[in-house]
Amino acid sequence: MNTTIRRSSIDLYTDEAVLAPYGPYRELRDLGPAVWLEAHEVWAVARYDDVYAALHDHETFASGTGVGLSEDLNKVMAGSTIASDPPYHDHIRSVVGRPLTPRALRKHREDVQRRADELVDRLVALGEFDGVTDFAQAFPLGLVPDLLGWPEEGREHFLAWAAAGFNALGPMNERATAGFADLQGMLGYLNEMSVPGRLCPGSWGAQLVDAAGDGTITREILPTLLGDYLTPSLDTTIATLSSALWLLGTHPEAFDALRADPGLIPNAFNEVIRVESPVRGFSRLLTEDHEIGGVKLPEGSRALLLYASANRDERRWANPEVFDVRRADAAGHVGFGHGVHGCVGQGLARLEGHSLLGALVRKVRRIEVGDAVWRPHNTIHGIAKLPAVFHAA
Amino acid sequence: MKVIVDRVRCEGHGLCEEAAPQMFQLDDEGELMVLQDAEPVPAEQIEAVADAARTCPVGALRVES
Ligand code: HEM
Ligand code: SF4
């Protein structure tokens, strides 16, 4: 067995690697099942099978000390759903996740579809628009904050806060430190919102505040858990929707296929997340010595599970770089993570995505897009600017 | 082979239903129903059930031999 340590000087967080990550991911996959990244002192796990196995072995690959790369920030996240381990994790997840299950979301289906139809109608009428601000951001921003019950004032900061929060999950580079002031602002806001009566009565956020009132969760953890609703609920979905628009605009045959058979929409949504995974990866702490394919990862070291690389692993997928809305196994992606920490908001993300794509295939004949400008960001892979036109059906 | 549904973890994402439609179905309430024997899983369902367990995004299905 080969037990040499594979090392690499690849830096995944340069502007170049952030904007064009697929070359470096492939290099890491080819180097071995786990590769020590000298630049960040973390094991990169880049192949699908190994990422999947780690996600389903939460006892060895723990989240309780945070899932970012910098220990300072990991401390700030402690106690959130994402930065916790069972059994505590399972308890808070069941509370945070209660309104987010597909079952609980059923009652919002018609409303979400109506909002999607209205947005697409508006954009068809508009002519040229920006696919990011007017489409990918406008939709979740017009929906999710209302479901969560945030007051109007303060919402203008949400995108900056989310960007800062996800940047901070990377290494302590310029992108991360530039967001510190925003993070302070967000923590202050979450404390304020934890005071009973601030959030809209009956909303998901207010239900969480009530749960702290009746002792289901502690008051101390309430701001952190409200944060579970704030940071991950917008930026991830926005990145997905912008990529979806870009992919369907640059692959008219795929859009035609969806128009001919809207039943393909759920699969197409999975395929968007597979091929342009919005979250590049999160880390885990090794709770004991562990071997991956002959490489020994010592207890106490960190492993960076690269979901975006796993989703393009040629060992797992045929023609991984090809966007194929009919791909039979697209649902097997790990773009939402997988296992006990698998995204608790994926039902909502799917509801949003399916509703918007459903509106598009009914109302639009052709999606025209210009050049996409990708966002330089530590964690989120998405588009910053995308000129677009919807040609009416 | 047997399959165990962890009812606490299952959130009704329904991907198991797509992988093994003759074994799993979400009812009108979105509650997961197991349509055939879970222990042992019928021979012709073994492959599909293993597939469903692998695909469940939140690790709510476990198969044991
Ligand atoms: C397309 C959109 C989305 C993507 C790509 C996405 C991605 C992810 C990923 C990769 C994880 C796994 C974390 C890990 O492995 O440690 C995760 C977890 C999580 N997501 Fe999402 N997410 C999306 C939408 C949402 C939404 C809409 C919400 C909230 C309403 C949300 C809330 C959460 C929370 C609270 C967790 C932690 C779950 C746990 O640790 O048990 N996400 N998400
Ligand atoms: S895929 Fe998993 S979470 Fe979804 S219904 Fe099946 S068992 Fe439940």
Side-chain angles (χ1 to χ4, degrees):
Chain A
M1 190 172 287
N2 175 9
T3 53
T4 47
I5 295 186
R6 306 287 172 133
R7 295 171 162 273
S8 167
S9 58
I10 290 180
D11 182 346
L12 290 175
Y13 296 90
T14 61
D15 280 350
E16 207 186 349
V18 161
L19 294 173
Y22 299 116
Y25 290 159
R26 182 177 198 141
E27 247 180 90
L28 288 173
R29 289 196 297 274
D30 287 346
L31 273 170
V35 180
W36 182 250
L37 296 184
E38 290 162 351
H40 311 295
E41 304 196 315
V42 66
W43 295 98
V45 180
R47 296 180 184 171
Y48 181 93
D49 285 352
D50 304 316
V51 168
Y52 184 95
L55 287 173
H56 285 267
D57 180 4
H58 61 266
E59 284 173 4
T60 312
F61 292 87
S63 295
T65 57
V67 298
L69 287 188
S70 100
E71 298 309 329
D72 287 344
L73 244 119
N74 281 338
K75 287 200 190 88
V76 178
M77 293 173 64
S80 63
T81 314
I82 198 171
S84 62
D85 292 311
Y88 167 80
H89 163 268
D90 299 358
H91 171 61
I92 53 169
R93 176 168 172 128
S94 73
V95 178
V96 167
R98 205 170 286 154
L100 292 168
T101 62
R103 186 184 324 157
L105 288 168
R106 279 177 185 216
K107 63 170 177 286
H108 299 290
R109 263 191 207 164
E110 280 172 28
D111 176 50
V112 175
Q113 188 61 63
R114 183 183 51 76
R115 290 172 188 243
D117 289 355
E118 282 172 10
L119 177 64
V120 172
D121 282 339
R122 208 156 57 236
L123 293 176
V124 167
L126 202 61
E128 186 168 329
F129 61 93
D130 180 50
V132 178
T133 46
D134 302 330
F135 176 80
Q137 292 179 352
F139 191 64
L141 277 179
L143 172 73
V144 182
D146 286 345
L147 291 172
L148 288 169
W150 309 113
E152 286 298 331
E153 51 147 327
R155 290 186 184 193
E156 67 279 13
H157 301 296
F158 284 4
L159 290 182
W161 290 345
F166 278 114
N167 263 326
L169 289 172
M172 261 315 123
N173 57 14
E174 177 74 12
R175 276 181 222 109
T177 52
F180 277 3
D182 282 322
L183 282 184
Q184 283 302 332
M186 179 174 80
L187 296 177
Y189 173 83
L190 291 171
N191 278 321
E192 241 178 79
M193 291 305 123
S194 298
V195 177
R198 291 305 308 275
L199 298 170
C200 186
S203 65
W204 300 350
Q207 288 169 22
L208 207 56
V209 177
D210 292 345
D214 66 25
T216 311
I217 56 169
T218 66
R219 285 209 176 277
E220 291 69 48
I221 203 64
L222 177 60
T224 306
L225 296 188
L226 281 175
D228 275 351
Y229 280 147
L230 181 59
T231 0
S233 64
L234 293 169
D235 231 7
T236 50
T237 313
I238 290 167
T240 308
L241 297 177
S242 62
S243 292
L245 189 65
W246 176 69
L247 285 163
L248 292 173
T250 50
H251 297 75
E253 73 293 346
F255 188 57
D256 288 343
L258 298 190
R259 291 181 64 213
D261 179 6
L264 285 172
I265 286 176
N267 202 56
F269 189 70
N270 279 322
E271 179 68 351
V272 168
I273 292 181
R274 185 196 68 80
V275 79
E276 297 296 348
S277 306
V279 173
R280 81 178 340 183
F282 288 127
S283 81
R284 297 290 192 265
L285 192 77
L286 274 287
T287 59
E288 55 186 34
D289 293 351
H290 185 78
E291 225 181 85
I292 305 184
V295 183
K296 277 210 181 75
L297 281 56
E299 178 184 342
S301 59
R302 245 179 213 285
L304 176 60
L305 310 178
L306 290 166
Y307 309 146
S309 167
N311 285 339
R312 287 196 178 216
D313 183 357
E314 39 296 287
R315 292 157 195 78
R316 166 68 173 79
W317 312 94
N319 304 316
E321 67 293 340
V322 175
F323 174 62
D324 174 7
V325 294
R326 289 200 177 81
R327 185 181 291 275
D329 52 359
H333 69 78
V334 288
F336 284 122
H338 224 269
V340 300
H341 290 281
C343 180
V344 72
Q346 59 186 288
L348 176 58
R350 287 203 167 90
L351 177 62
E352 294 177 67
H354 296 175
S355 304
L356 265 185
L357 294 183
L360 285 178
V361 300
R362 275 180 282 110
K363 296 170 183 291
V364 174
R365 172 174 49 83
R366 188 165 73 84
I367 298 171
E368 184 185 335
V369 292
D371 288 336
V373 179
W374 292 82
R375 254 175 99 179
H377 193 279
N378 282 343
T379 309
I380 302 285
H381 173 76
I383 297 172
K385 248 185 137 27
L386 180 69
V389 179
F390 288 156
H391 296 280
Chain B
M1 184 178 93
K2 67 172 169 178
V3 59
I4 302 154
V5 182
D6 183 333
R7 293 282 169 187
V8 178
R9 288 204 196 285
C10 173
E11 294 170 350
H13 295 290
L15 297 178
C16 56
E17 190 180 31
E18 281 164 47
Q22 288 164 39
M23 194 69 190
F24 303 110
Q25 197 188 327
L26 290 173
D27 68 15
D28 290 343
E29 300 288 290
E31 192 75 47
L32 183 64
M33 300 186 298
V34 181
L35 305 176
Q36 302 190 43
D37 282 349
E39 183 185 358
V41 171
E44 73 283 359
Q45 289 298 318
I46 285 181
E47 205 174 314
V49 169
D51 217 31
R54 216 175 312 117
T55 315
C56 171
V58 294
L61 295 176
R62 212 170 67 242
V63 291
E64 285 176 7
S65 42

